[in-house]
Every structure is written in C-alpha cells, then in structure tokens.
Coordinates of all heavy atoms in Angstrom, one line a residue:
M5 N 0.9 -1.2 0.0 CA 0.0 -0.1 0.0 C 0.8 1.2 0.0 O 0.6 2.2 -0.8 CB -0.9 0.0 1.2 CG -1.7 1.2 1.3 SD -3.3 0.8 1.9 CE -4.1 2.3 2.0
F6 N 2.0 1.3 0.7 CA 2.8 2.5 0.8 C 3.5 2.6 -0.6 O 3.9 3.7 -0.9 CB 3.9 2.4 1.9 CG 3.2 2.6 3.3 CD1 3.2 1.5 4.1 CD2 2.7 3.7 3.6 CE1 2.6 1.7 5.5 CE2 2.1 4.0 4.9 CZ 2.1 3.0 5.8
A7 N 3.7 1.5 -1.3 CA 4.4 1.7 -2.5 C 3.6 2.4 -3.5 O 4.0 3.2 -4.3 CB 4.8 0.2 -3.1
F8 N 2.2 2.3 -3.4 CA 1.3 3.0 -4.2 C 1.4 4.5 -4.0 O 1.4 5.3 -4.8 CB -0.2 2.5 -3.9 CG -1.1 3.4 -4.8 CD1 -1.1 3.1 -6.2 CD2 -2.0 4.1 -4.2 CE1 -2.1 3.9 -6.9 CE2 -3.0 4.9 -4.9 CZ -3.0 4.7 -6.3
L9 N 1.5 4.9 -2.7 CA 1.6 6.3 -2.3 C 3.0 6.9 -2.6 O 3.1 8.2 -2.9 CB 1.4 6.6 -0.8 CG -0.1 6.2 -0.4 CD1 -0.2 6.3 1.3 CD2 -1.1 7.1 -1.0
L10 N 4.0 6.2 -2.7 CA 5.3 6.6 -3.0 C 5.7 6.8 -4.5 O 6.6 7.4 -4.8 CB 6.4 5.8 -2.3 CG 6.4 5.8 -0.6 CD1 7.4 4.9 -0.2 CD2 6.6 7.1 -0.2
Q11 N 4.8 6.2 -5.3 CA 5.0 6.3 -6.7 C 4.9 7.8 -7.1 O 4.2 8.6 -6.6 CB 3.9 5.6 -7.4 CG 4.1 4.0 -7.5 CD 3.1 3.3 -8.2 OE1 2.0 4.1 -8.6 NE2 3.3 2.1 -8.5
Q12 N 5.8 8.2 -8.1 CA 5.8 9.5 -8.4 C 4.8 9.7 -9.5 O 4.4 8.8 -10.3 CB 7.2 9.9 -9.1 CG 8.3 9.8 -8.1 CD 9.7 10.4 -8.7 OE1 9.8 10.4 -9.9 NE2 10.7 10.6 -7.9
A13 N 4.2 11.0 -9.6 CA 3.3 11.2 -10.6 C 3.9 11.3 -12.0 O 5.1 11.7 -12.1 CB 2.6 12.6 -10.4
P14 N 3.1 11.0 -13.0 CA 3.9 11.0 -14.3 C 4.2 12.5 -14.7 O 3.7 13.5 -14.2 CB 2.8 10.6 -15.3 CG 1.5 10.6 -14.5 CD 1.9 10.5 -13.2
A15 N 5.3 12.7 -15.4 CA 5.8 14.0 -15.8 C 4.8 14.7 -16.5 O 4.2 14.1 -17.5 CB 7.1 13.9 -16.5
A16 N 4.5 15.9 -16.3 CA 3.6 16.8 -17.0 C 4.2 17.3 -18.2 O 5.4 17.5 -18.4 CB 3.2 18.0 -16.1
N17 N 3.3 17.5 -19.3 CA 3.7 18.0 -20.5 C 4.3 19.3 -20.5 O 3.6 20.2 -19.8 CB 2.5 17.9 -21.5 CG 2.9 18.2 -22.9 OD1 4.0 18.5 -23.3 ND2 1.8 18.0 -23.8
P18 N 5.5 19.6 -20.9 CA 6.0 21.0 -20.8 C 5.2 22.1 -21.4 O 5.2 23.1 -21.0 CB 7.4 20.9 -21.5 CG 7.6 19.5 -22.0 CD 6.4 18.7 -21.6
V19 N 4.6 21.8 -22.5 CA 3.7 22.7 -23.1 C 2.5 23.1 -22.2 O 2.2 24.3 -22.2 CB 3.1 22.2 -24.5 CG1 2.3 23.2 -25.1 CG2 4.3 21.9 -25.4
M20 N 1.9 22.2 -21.5 CA 0.9 22.5 -20.6 C 1.4 23.3 -19.4 O 0.5 24.2 -18.9 CB 0.3 21.3 -20.0 CG -0.5 20.4 -21.2 SD -1.7 21.3 -22.0 CE -3.0 21.3 -20.8
S21 N 2.6 23.3 -19.0 CA 3.1 24.2 -17.9 C 3.3 25.6 -18.3 O 3.2 26.4 -17.5 CB 4.4 23.5 -17.4 OG 5.5 23.7 -18.3
F22 N 3.5 25.8 -19.7 CA 3.6 27.2 -20.1 C 2.3 27.8 -20.7 O 2.3 29.0 -20.9 CB 4.8 27.2 -21.3 CG 6.2 27.1 -20.9 CD1 6.9 26.0 -21.1 CD2 6.6 28.1 -20.1 CE1 8.2 25.9 -20.7 CE2 8.0 28.0 -19.7 CZ 8.7 26.9 -20.0
L23 N 1.3 27.1 -20.8 CA 0.0 27.4 -21.3 C -0.4 28.7 -20.4 O -1.0 29.7 -21.1 CB -1.0 26.3 -21.3 CG -2.2 26.6 -22.1 CD1 -1.7 26.8 -23.6 CD2 -3.1 25.3 -22.1
P24 N -0.5 28.6 -19.2 CA -1.0 29.9 -18.4 C -0.3 31.1 -18.7 O -0.7 32.1 -18.7 CB -0.9 29.3 -16.9 CG -0.9 27.9 -17.0 CD -0.2 27.5 -18.2
L25 N 1.1 30.9 -18.9 CA 1.9 32.0 -19.2 C 1.6 32.6 -20.4 O 1.5 33.9 -20.7 CB 3.3 31.7 -19.0 CG 4.4 32.8 -19.3 CD1 4.3 34.0 -18.2 CD2 5.8 32.3 -19.3
I26 N 1.6 31.7 -21.4 CA 1.2 32.2 -22.8 C -0.2 32.8 -22.8 O -0.5 33.9 -23.5 CB 1.1 30.9 -23.9 CG1 2.6 30.4 -23.9 CG2 0.5 31.3 -25.1 CD1 2.7 29.1 -24.7
F27 N -1.2 32.3 -22.1 CA -2.5 33.0 -21.9 C -2.5 34.3 -21.4 O -3.1 35.2 -21.9 CB -3.4 32.0 -21.2 CG -4.9 32.5 -21.1 CD1 -5.6 32.4 -22.2 CD2 -5.4 32.8 -19.9 CE1 -6.9 32.8 -22.2 CE2 -6.8 33.2 -19.9 CZ -7.4 33.2 -21.0
I28 N -1.6 34.5 -20.4 CA -1.5 35.8 -19.8 C -0.9 36.8 -20.7 O -1.3 38.0 -20.7 CB -0.7 35.7 -18.4 CG1 -1.5 35.0 -17.4 CG2 -0.3 37.0 -17.9 CD1 -0.7 34.6 -16.1
V29 N 0.2 36.4 -21.4 CA 0.8 37.3 -22.3 C -0.2 37.7 -23.5 O -0.3 38.8 -24.0 CB 2.1 36.6 -23.0 CG1 2.6 37.4 -24.2 CG2 3.1 36.5 -21.8
A30 N -1.1 36.8 -23.9 CA -2.0 37.0 -25.0 C -3.0 38.0 -24.5 O -3.3 39.0 -25.2 CB -2.7 35.8 -25.4
I31 N -3.5 37.8 -23.2 CA -4.5 38.9 -22.8 C -3.9 40.3 -22.6 O -4.4 41.2 -22.8 CB -5.0 38.3 -21.4 CG1 -5.9 37.1 -21.5 CG2 -5.7 39.4 -20.5 CD1 -6.4 36.5 -20.3
F32 N -2.6 40.2 -22.1 CA -1.9 41.5 -22.0 C -1.7 42.2 -23.3 O -1.9 43.4 -23.5 CB -0.6 41.2 -21.3 CG 0.3 42.5 -20.9 CD1 -0.2 43.2 -19.7 CD2 1.3 43.0 -21.5 CE1 0.5 44.4 -19.4 CE2 1.9 44.1 -21.2 CZ 1.6 44.8 -20.1
Y33 N -1.5 41.5 -24.4 CA -1.3 42.1 -25.7 C -2.7 42.7 -26.1 O -2.6 43.8 -26.6 CB -0.9 41.0 -26.7 CG -0.8 41.5 -28.0 CD1 0.4 42.3 -28.4 CD2 -1.7 41.2 -29.0 CE1 0.5 42.7 -29.8 CE2 -1.6 41.6 -30.4 CZ -0.6 42.3 -30.7 OH -0.6 42.9 -32.0
F34 N -3.7 42.0 -25.9 CA -5.0 42.4 -26.4 C -5.5 43.7 -25.7 O -6.2 44.4 -26.2 CB -6.0 41.3 -26.5 CG -5.8 40.3 -27.7 CD1 -5.4 39.0 -27.5 CD2 -6.0 40.8 -29.0 CE1 -5.2 38.3 -28.5 CE2 -5.9 40.0 -30.1 CZ -5.4 38.7 -29.9
L35 N -5.2 43.6 -24.3 CA -5.7 44.7 -23.5 C -4.9 46.0 -23.5 O -5.3 47.1 -23.2 CB -5.9 44.3 -22.1 CG -7.1 43.3 -21.9 CD1 -7.0 42.8 -20.5 CD2 -8.3 43.8 -22.4
V36 N -3.5 45.9 -23.8 CA -2.6 47.0 -23.7 C -2.1 47.4 -25.0 O -2.1 48.5 -25.4 CB -1.5 46.7 -22.7 CG1 -0.4 47.7 -22.7 CG2 -2.0 46.4 -21.2
F37 N -1.3 46.5 -25.7 CA -0.6 46.9 -26.9 C -1.5 47.2 -28.1 O -1.2 48.1 -28.8 CB 0.4 45.8 -27.2 CG 1.5 45.7 -26.3 CD1 1.8 44.6 -25.6 CD2 2.3 46.9 -26.1 CE1 2.8 44.5 -24.7 CE2 3.4 46.8 -25.2 CZ 3.7 45.6 -24.5
M38 N -2.5 46.5 -28.4 CA -3.4 46.6 -29.5 C -4.1 48.0 -29.4 O -4.1 48.9 -30.3 CB -4.5 45.6 -29.7 CG -3.9 44.4 -30.4 SD -5.1 43.1 -30.8 CE -6.2 44.1 -31.8
P39 N -4.7 48.4 -28.3 CA -5.2 49.8 -28.2 C -4.2 50.9 -28.4 O -4.5 51.9 -28.8 CB -5.9 49.9 -26.8 CG -6.2 48.5 -26.4 CD -5.0 47.6 -27.0
M40 N -3.0 50.7 -27.8 CA -2.0 51.6 -27.9 C -1.5 51.8 -29.4 O -1.3 53.0 -29.8 CB -0.7 51.2 -27.0 CG 0.3 52.4 -26.8 SD 1.7 51.7 -25.8 CE 1.0 50.8 -24.5
Q41 N -1.4 50.7 -30.1 CA -1.2 50.9 -31.5 C -2.3 51.5 -32.3 O -1.9 52.4 -33.2 CB -0.9 49.5 -32.2 CG 0.4 48.8 -31.7 CD 0.6 47.4 -32.2 OE1 -0.4 46.8 -32.7 NE2 1.7 46.9 -32.0
R42 N -3.4 51.2 -32.1 CA -4.6 51.9 -32.6 C -4.5 53.4 -32.3 O -4.9 54.2 -33.3 CB -5.9 51.3 -32.2 CG -7.1 51.7 -33.0 CD -8.4 51.0 -32.6 NE -8.1 49.6 -32.4 CZ -8.3 48.9 -31.3 NH1 -8.8 49.4 -30.2 NH2 -8.2 47.5 -31.1
Q43 N -4.3 53.7 -31.0 CA -4.3 55.3 -30.8 C -3.1 55.9 -31.4 O -3.3 57.0 -32.0 CB -4.1 55.3 -29.3 CG -4.1 56.8 -28.8 CD -4.0 56.9 -27.3 OE1 -3.5 56.0 -26.6 NE2 -4.5 58.0 -26.7
K44 N -1.9 55.3 -31.6 CA -0.8 56.0 -32.3 C -1.1 56.1 -33.8 O -0.9 57.1 -34.4 CB 0.4 55.0 -32.3 CG 1.1 55.2 -30.9 CD 2.5 54.3 -31.1 CE 3.2 54.4 -29.7 NZ 4.5 53.7 -29.6
K45 N -1.9 55.2 -34.4 CA -2.2 55.2 -35.8 C -3.3 56.3 -36.0 O -3.1 57.2 -37.1 CB -3.0 53.9 -36.3 CG -3.3 53.8 -37.7 CD -3.8 52.5 -38.0 CE -4.4 52.6 -39.5 NZ -5.0 51.2 -39.8
Q46 N -4.3 56.6 -35.0 CA -5.2 57.6 -35.1 C -4.5 59.0 -35.0 O -4.8 60.0 -35.8 CB -6.3 57.5 -34.2 CG -7.3 56.3 -34.4 CD -8.3 56.1 -33.2 OE1 -8.1 56.5 -32.1 NE2 -9.3 55.4 -33.5
Q47 N -3.5 59.0 -34.1 CA -2.8 60.3 -33.9 C -2.0 60.7 -35.1 O -2.1 61.9 -35.6 CB -1.8 60.2 -32.7 CG -1.1 61.3 -32.4 CD -1.8 62.5 -31.8 OE1 -3.0 62.4 -31.4 NE2 -1.2 63.7 -31.7
K48 N -1.4 59.7 -35.8 CA -0.6 60.0 -36.9 C -1.5 60.3 -38.2 O -1.2 61.3 -38.8 CB 0.1 58.7 -37.4 CG 1.1 58.9 -38.6 CD 1.7 57.5 -38.9 CE 2.6 57.6 -40.2 NZ 3.1 56.4 -40.6
E49 N -2.7 59.8 -38.3 CA -3.7 60.1 -39.4 C -4.1 61.5 -39.1 O -4.3 62.4 -40.0 CB -4.7 59.2 -39.4 CG -4.4 57.8 -40.0 CD -5.6 56.8 -39.9 OE1 -6.6 57.1 -39.3 OE2 -5.3 55.7 -40.4
M50 N -4.3 62.0 -37.8 CA -4.8 63.3 -37.5 C -3.7 64.3 -37.9 O -4.0 65.4 -38.4 CB -5.2 63.4 -36.0 CG -5.8 64.7 -35.5 SD -4.7 65.9 -35.0 CE -4.0 65.2 -33.6
L51 N -2.5 64.0 -37.5 CA -1.4 65.0 -37.8 C -1.2 65.1 -39.3 O -1.0 66.3 -39.8 CB -0.1 64.5 -37.2 CG -0.1 64.6 -35.6 CD1 1.3 64.0 -35.1 CD2 -0.3 65.9 -35.1
Q52 N -1.4 64.0 -40.1 CA -1.2 64.2 -41.5 C -2.4 65.1 -42.2 O -2.2 65.6 -43.2 CB -1.2 62.8 -42.2 CG -0.1 61.9 -41.8 CD 1.1 62.3 -42.4 OE1 1.1 62.9 -43.6 NE2 2.2 62.1 -41.8
A53 N -3.6 65.0 -41.5 CA -4.8 65.6 -42.1 C -4.9 67.1 -41.7 O -6.0 67.7 -42.0 CB -6.0 64.8 -41.8
L54 N -4.0 67.6 -40.9 CA -4.1 69.0 -40.5 C -4.2 70.0 -41.7 O -3.4 69.9 -42.5 CB -3.0 69.4 -39.6 CG -3.0 68.8 -38.1 CD1 -1.6 69.2 -37.4 CD2 -4.2 69.1 -37.4
Q55 N -5.0 71.0 -41.5 CA -5.1 72.0 -42.6 C -5.1 73.4 -42.0 O -5.4 73.5 -40.8 CB -6.4 71.8 -43.4 CG -6.4 70.4 -44.1 CD -7.9 70.3 -44.8 OE1 -8.7 71.1 -44.7 NE2 -7.9 69.1 -45.4
S56 N -4.9 74.4 -42.9 CA -5.0 75.8 -42.4 C -6.6 76.0 -42.0 O -7.4 75.6 -42.7 CB -4.6 76.8 -43.5 OG -3.3 76.7 -43.7
G57 N -6.7 76.7 -40.9 CA -8.0 77.0 -40.4 C -8.5 76.1 -39.3 O -9.5 76.4 -38.6
N58 N -7.8 74.9 -39.1 CA -8.2 74.0 -38.1 C -7.8 74.6 -36.6 O -6.7 75.2 -36.6 CB -7.4 72.6 -38.2 CG -8.0 71.8 -39.3 OD1 -8.8 72.2 -40.1 ND2 -7.6 70.5 -39.4
E59 N -8.6 74.4 -35.8 CA -8.3 74.8 -34.3 C -7.7 73.6 -33.6 O -8.4 72.6 -33.6 CB -9.5 75.3 -33.7 CG -9.2 76.1 -32.4 CD -10.3 76.9 -31.8 OE1 -11.4 76.9 -32.5 OE2 -10.2 77.5 -30.8
V60 N -6.5 73.7 -33.1 CA -5.9 72.6 -32.4 C -5.5 72.9 -31.0 O -5.3 74.1 -30.5 CB -4.6 72.2 -33.2 CG1 -5.0 71.8 -34.6 CG2 -3.6 73.3 -33.3
L61 N -5.2 71.9 -30.2 CA -4.6 71.9 -28.9 C -3.4 71.4 -28.9 O -3.1 70.2 -29.4 CB -5.5 71.2 -27.9 CG -5.1 71.0 -26.5 CD1 -5.1 72.4 -25.8 CD2 -6.0 70.0 -25.7
T62 N -2.3 72.0 -28.4 CA -0.9 71.4 -28.3 C -0.8 70.7 -27.0 O -1.5 70.8 -26.1 CB 0.1 72.7 -28.5 OG1 0.0 73.5 -27.3 CG2 -0.1 73.5 -29.7
T63 N 0.3 70.0 -27.1 CA 0.7 69.3 -25.8 C 0.9 70.2 -24.6 O 0.9 69.7 -23.4 CB 1.8 68.3 -26.0 OG1 3.0 69.1 -26.4 CG2 1.6 67.3 -27.0
G64 N 1.3 71.4 -24.8 CA 1.6 72.4 -23.8 C 0.4 73.1 -23.3 O 0.4 73.9 -22.4
G65 N -0.9 72.8 -23.9 CA -2.0 73.4 -23.6 C -2.5 74.6 -24.2 O -3.4 75.3 -23.9
I66 N -1.7 75.0 -25.3 CA -2.1 76.1 -26.1 C -3.0 75.8 -27.1 O -2.9 74.8 -27.8 CB -0.7 76.7 -26.8 CG1 0.2 77.1 -25.7 CG2 -1.1 77.8 -27.7 CD1 1.6 77.5 -26.3
V67 N -4.1 76.6 -27.2 CA -5.3 76.5 -28.3 C -5.0 77.6 -29.3 O -4.9 78.7 -28.9 CB -6.6 76.6 -27.6 CG1 -7.7 76.4 -28.7 CG2 -6.8 75.5 -26.6
G68 N -4.9 77.2 -30.4 CA -4.7 78.2 -31.6 C -5.3 77.7 -32.9 O -5.6 76.4 -33.1
T69 N -5.5 78.5 -33.9 CA -5.8 78.2 -35.2 C -4.7 78.2 -36.1 O -3.8 79.0 -36.1 CB -6.9 79.4 -35.6 OG1 -7.9 79.4 -34.7 CG2 -7.3 78.9 -37.0
I70 N -4.6 77.2 -37.0 CA -3.5 77.0 -37.8 C -3.5 78.1 -39.0 O -4.6 78.2 -39.6 CB -3.4 75.6 -38.5 CG1 -3.3 74.5 -37.4 CG2 -2.3 75.6 -39.6 CD1 -3.4 73.2 -38.1
V71 N -2.5 78.8 -39.2 CA -2.5 79.8 -40.2 C -1.8 79.2 -41.4 O -2.2 79.5 -42.5 CB -1.8 81.1 -39.6 CG1 -1.5 82.1 -40.7 CG2 -2.3 81.8 -38.5
S72 N -0.6 78.6 -41.2 CA 0.1 78.0 -42.3 C 0.8 76.8 -41.8 O 1.2 76.7 -40.7 CB 1.0 79.0 -43.0 OG 2.1 79.2 -42.1
I73 N 1.2 75.9 -42.8 CA 1.9 74.7 -42.5 C 3.0 74.6 -43.6 O 2.8 74.7 -44.7 CB 0.9 73.4 -42.7 CG1 -0.2 73.5 -41.8 CG2 1.7 72.1 -42.4 CD1 -1.2 72.4 -42.1
T74 N 4.2 74.4 -43.0 CA 5.5 74.1 -43.8 C 6.2 73.1 -43.3 O 6.7 73.1 -42.3 CB 6.3 75.5 -43.9 OG1 6.7 75.9 -42.6 CG2 5.6 76.7 -44.4
G75 N 6.0 71.9 -44.0 CA 6.7 70.7 -43.6 C 6.2 70.2 -42.3 O 5.0 69.9 -42.1
D76 N 7.1 70.1 -41.3 CA 6.8 69.7 -40.1 C 6.5 70.9 -39.0 O 6.4 70.7 -37.8 CB 7.8 68.8 -39.4 CG 7.9 67.4 -40.0 OD1 6.8 67.0 -40.6 OD2 8.9 66.7 -39.9
M77 N 6.4 72.0 -39.5 CA 6.2 73.3 -38.7 C 4.9 73.9 -38.9 O 4.5 73.9 -40.1 CB 7.3 74.2 -38.8 CG 8.7 73.8 -38.5 SD 8.9 73.1 -36.9 CE 8.8 74.6 -35.9
L78 N 4.1 74.3 -37.9 CA 2.9 75.1 -38.1 C 3.0 76.4 -37.5 O 3.8 76.6 -36.5 CB 1.9 74.3 -37.3 CG 1.6 72.8 -37.5 CD1 0.6 72.3 -36.5 CD2 1.1 72.5 -38.9
I79 N 2.3 77.3 -38.0 CA 2.1 78.6 -37.4 C 0.7 78.8 -36.9 O -0.2 78.5 -37.6 CB 2.3 79.8 -38.6 CG1 3.7 79.6 -39.2 CG2 2.2 81.2 -38.0 CD1 4.9 79.9 -38.4
L80 N 0.6 79.0 -35.6 CA -0.6 79.0 -34.9 C -0.9 80.5 -34.6 O -0.1 81.2 -34.2 CB -0.7 78.3 -33.7 CG -0.5 76.7 -33.7 CD1 -0.5 76.1 -32.3 CD2 -1.5 76.1 -34.6
R81 N -2.3 81.0 -34.7 CA -2.7 82.2 -34.3 C -3.4 82.0 -33.0 O -4.4 81.2 -32.9 CB -3.6 82.9 -35.3 CG -4.0 84.3 -34.9 CD -4.9 85.0 -35.9 NE -6.1 84.2 -36.1 CZ -6.4 83.8 -37.4 NH1 -5.8 84.0 -38.4 NH2 -7.6 83.1 -37.4
V82 N -3.0 82.6 -31.9 CA -3.5 82.5 -30.5 C -4.2 83.6 -30.2 O -3.7 84.7 -30.2 CB -2.3 82.1 -29.5 CG1 -2.8 81.7 -28.2 CG2 -1.5 80.9 -30.1
K83 N -5.5 83.4 -29.6 CA -6.2 84.5 -29.2 C -5.8 84.9 -27.7 O -5.2 84.1 -27.1 CB -7.7 84.1 -29.2 CG -8.2 83.9 -30.5 CD -9.7 83.4 -30.5 CE -10.2 83.3 -31.9 NZ -11.5 82.8 -31.9
P84 N -6.0 86.0 -27.2 CA -6.9 87.1 -27.7 C -6.3 88.1 -28.5 O -6.8 89.0 -29.1 CB -7.5 87.7 -26.5 CG -6.4 87.4 -25.4 CD -5.7 86.3 -25.8
D85 N -4.9 88.1 -28.5 CA -4.0 89.2 -29.2 C -3.6 88.8 -30.5 O -2.8 89.5 -31.2 CB -2.9 89.5 -28.3 CG -3.3 90.1 -26.9 OD1 -4.3 90.8 -26.9 OD2 -2.5 90.0 -25.9
N86 N -4.1 87.7 -31.1 CA -3.7 87.2 -32.4 C -2.3 86.9 -32.5 O -1.6 87.4 -33.5 CB -4.2 88.0 -33.5 CG -5.8 87.9 -33.6 OD1 -6.3 86.8 -33.3 ND2 -6.3 89.0 -33.9
I87 N -1.5 86.5 -31.4 CA -0.2 86.2 -31.5 C 0.2 85.1 -32.3 O -0.7 84.0 -32.3 CB 0.4 86.0 -30.1 CG1 0.2 87.2 -29.2 CG2 1.8 85.6 -30.1 CD1 0.4 87.0 -27.8
K88 N 1.2 85.1 -33.2 CA 1.5 84.0 -33.9 C 2.7 83.1 -33.3 O 3.7 83.7 -33.1 CB 1.8 84.4 -35.4 CG 0.7 84.9 -36.1 CD 1.0 85.3 -37.6 CE -0.3 85.8 -38.2 NZ 0.1 86.1 -39.7
L89 N 2.6 81.9 -33.3 CA 3.6 80.9 -32.6 C 3.9 79.9 -33.7 O 3.0 79.3 -34.3 CB 3.0 80.2 -31.4 CG 2.6 81.0 -30.2 CD1 2.0 80.3 -29.1 CD2 3.8 81.9 -29.7
Q90 N 5.1 79.6 -33.7 CA 5.6 78.4 -34.6 C 5.8 77.3 -33.7 O 6.5 77.3 -32.7 CB 6.9 78.8 -35.2 CG 7.4 77.8 -36.2 CD 8.7 78.2 -36.9 OE1 9.2 79.3 -36.6 NE2 9.1 77.5 -37.9
V91 N 5.1 76.2 -34.0 CA 5.2 75.0 -33.3 C 5.4 73.7 -34.2 O 5.1 73.9 -35.3 CB 4.0 74.7 -32.4 CG1 3.7 75.8 -31.4 CG2 2.7 74.6 -33.2
A92 N 6.0 72.7 -33.6 CA 6.2 71.5 -34.5 C 4.9 70.7 -34.6 O 4.0 70.8 -33.7 CB 7.1 70.5 -33.8
R93 N 4.7 70.1 -35.7 CA 3.5 69.3 -36.0 C 3.2 68.3 -34.9 O 2.1 68.0 -34.5 CB 3.6 68.7 -37.4 CG 2.2 68.1 -37.8 CD 2.5 67.3 -39.2 NE 2.7 68.2 -40.3 CZ 1.8 68.4 -41.2 NH1 0.6 67.7 -41.2 NH2 1.9 69.2 -42.2
S94 N 4.3 67.8 -34.5 CA 4.2 66.7 -33.4 C 3.7 67.2 -32.0 O 3.3 66.4 -31.2 CB 5.5 65.9 -33.2 OG 6.6 66.8 -32.8
A95 N 3.7 68.5 -32.0 CA 3.3 69.1 -30.7 C 1.8 69.3 -30.6 O 1.3 69.5 -29.5 CB 3.9 70.5 -30.5
V96 N 1.1 69.0 -31.7 CA -0.4 69.0 -31.6 C -0.9 67.7 -31.0 O -0.5 66.6 -31.5 CB -1.0 69.1 -33.1 CG1 -2.5 69.1 -33.1 CG2 -0.5 70.5 -33.8
S97 N -1.8 67.8 -30.1 CA -2.2 66.7 -29.4 C -3.7 66.3 -29.8 O -4.0 65.2 -30.0 CB -2.3 66.8 -28.0 OG -3.2 67.9 -27.6
S98 N -4.5 67.3 -30.3 CA -5.8 67.0 -30.7 C -6.4 68.2 -31.5 O -5.9 69.3 -31.3 CB -6.8 66.6 -29.6 OG -6.9 67.7 -28.7
L99 N -7.4 67.9 -32.2 CA -8.2 69.0 -32.8 C -9.4 69.4 -31.9 O -9.8 68.8 -31.1 CB -8.9 68.5 -34.1 CG -8.1 68.1 -35.3 CD1 -9.0 67.5 -36.4 CD2 -7.5 69.4 -35.9
V100 N -9.6 70.7 -31.9 CA -10.6 71.2 -30.9 C -11.9 71.4 -31.7 O -11.9 72.0 -32.9 CB -10.2 72.7 -30.4 CG1 -11.3 73.3 -29.7 CG2 -8.9 72.7 -29.6
T101 N -13.0 70.8 -31.2 CA -14.2 70.8 -31.9 C -15.0 71.9 -31.4 O -15.1 72.1 -30.2 CB -15.0 69.4 -31.8 OG1 -15.0 69.2 -30.4 CG2 -14.2 68.3 -32.3
Q102 N -15.7 72.6 -32.3 CA -16.6 73.6 -32.0 C -18.0 73.0 -31.8 O -18.7 72.8 -32.9 CB -16.6 74.7 -33.0 CG -15.1 75.5 -33.1 CD -14.7 76.1 -31.8 OE1 -15.7 76.7 -31.1 NE2 -13.5 76.2 -31.5
D103 N -18.6 72.9 -30.7 CA -20.0 72.5 -30.5 C -21.0 73.8 -30.4 O -20.7 74.6 -29.5 CB -20.1 71.8 -29.3 CG -19.5 70.3 -29.3 OD1 -19.2 69.8 -30.4 OD2 -19.1 69.8 -28.2
K104 N -21.8 73.8 -31.3 CA -22.7 74.9 -31.3 C -24.0 74.6 -30.7 O -24.5 73.4 -31.0 CB -22.9 75.5 -32.7 CG -21.6 75.9 -33.4 CD -21.8 76.6 -34.8 CE -20.6 77.2 -35.2 NZ -20.0 76.6 -36.4
P105 N -24.6 75.3 -29.8 CA -25.8 75.0 -29.0 C -26.9 74.5 -29.9 O -27.8 73.7 -29.6 CB -26.2 76.2 -28.2 CG -25.0 77.0 -28.3 CD -24.0 76.8 -29.4
G106 N -27.1 75.1 -31.2 CA -28.3 74.9 -31.9 C -28.1 73.7 -32.9 O -29.0 73.3 -33.7
D107 N -27.1 73.0 -32.8 CA -26.8 71.9 -33.8 C -27.1 70.5 -33.3 O -26.9 69.5 -33.9 CB -25.3 71.8 -34.2 CG -24.9 73.0 -35.0 OD1 -25.8 73.7 -35.6 OD2 -23.7 73.3 -35.3
T108 N -27.8 70.4 -32.1 CA -28.2 69.1 -31.6 C -29.4 68.6 -32.4 O -30.3 69.3 -32.7 CB -28.5 69.2 -30.1 OG1 -29.6 70.1 -29.9 CG2 -27.3 69.6 -29.3
K109 N -29.3 67.3 -32.7 CA -30.5 66.6 -33.4 C -31.1 65.7 -32.5 O -30.6 65.0 -31.7 CB -30.0 66.0 -34.6 CG -29.5 66.9 -35.6 CD -29.1 66.1 -36.9 CE -28.6 67.2 -37.9 NZ -28.2 66.7 -39.2

C-alpha cells in the first residue's frame, strides 16, 4: 500500500506548464498593446490631415488656429491678441471641436 503512495506522478507535458503564461501574455497584448497601436495610428492620421483653419490643442495646452503649414512646422494664431507661434506638427495633441448649441439633433 505504501508503494502506491510513494510512486511519483507522471511527468507533466512541458507545453501544458507554459500554457497559463502564454494565456496571460495574450491577454496583456490584447488589452494593452493593441489599443496603444490603434491610438498611435489615429494620432498619425490626425497629424497628416491638419489644414489651415483647423483649431488645435498643443501638448503644452495652447489652443490656436493654424495659419500655415510648412513641412513639420505650423504657425498658430493664438487669441486674444492674435499672437502667432511656430510649433512642431508633433506638438499637436488634438483638434478642438466647436460644439454649437443649436446643432443638436
């Protein structure tokens, strides 16, 4: 009877021992890296589509209207004194949307 208890369990399949780790890495990829890549792609598309007249927010918190675009540099007109600032295109964090009160449907 003791011989039965002292017998070693059969060796587990090495693939099965790594399966939980692979599962955790896959979940981490889908929850963290895929949304990050999607956000980078959207940011790149937004920067490519900038045009004169767009109102933008920079990473420094400056809100201005694009006056001109030359390569990777933008000239922004900043209110209230219509000061013109030269900023890098990569400094733009988002477009500012103008919500008008009468436009709700």
